Amino acid sequence: MLSLALTFAYACFAIGLVFNLIRLVRGPDFVDRLLAVDTLVINMIALILLYGIDTATELYFEAAMLFALTGFVSTVAFSKFLLRGDIIE
């Protein structure tokens, strides 16, 4: 039963990744592309966590945490750059 749920979750997040890539390519402006990249990072974190559950190893959970931290910092930096024009005041 768990393998069926994992397969379904893999498929859902993979479809989400495809939609995020479409938004990233076709986004009308930079803000839409930034949101697409942020959502893409979240979907990648979910896929890493699902793979960690599937293989029953803790290494992927730590990798997902580092990936989440990097994604959050980059999103905040890009957003601050869009609002103020610079990152460090």
Side-chain angles (χ1 to χ4, degrees):
M1 187 67 185
L2 181 63
S3 66
L4 180 66
L6 285 173
T7 304
F8 179 73
Y10 279 131
C12 289
F13 284 110
I15 290 170
L17 279 176
V18 170
F19 286 140
N20 288 328
L21 286 174
I22 291 171
R23 175 55 61 192
L24 183 64
V25 171
R26 298 181 60 196
D29 58 359
F30 190 73
V31 176
D32 292 326
R33 290 186 173 111
L34 179 64
L35 288 174
V37 169
D38 190 42
T39 309
L40 192 104
V41 168
I42 292 170
N43 283 336
M44 287 299 296
I45 292 166
L47 284 174
I48 292 170
L49 289 175
L50 287 174
Y51 189 70
I53 292 170
D54 198 15
T55 58
T57 59
E58 296 177 2
L59 177 68
Y60 295 105
F61 294 107
E62 295 173 3
M65 188 173 68
L66 290 174
F67 199 63
L69 181 66
T70 305
F72 174 74
V73 169
S74 65
T75 301
V76 169
F78 274 124
S79 299
K80 194 171 180 180
F81 180 75
L82 282 177
L83 288 176
R84 298 183 183 164
D86 60 351
I87 297 172
I88 299 172
E89 297 177 13

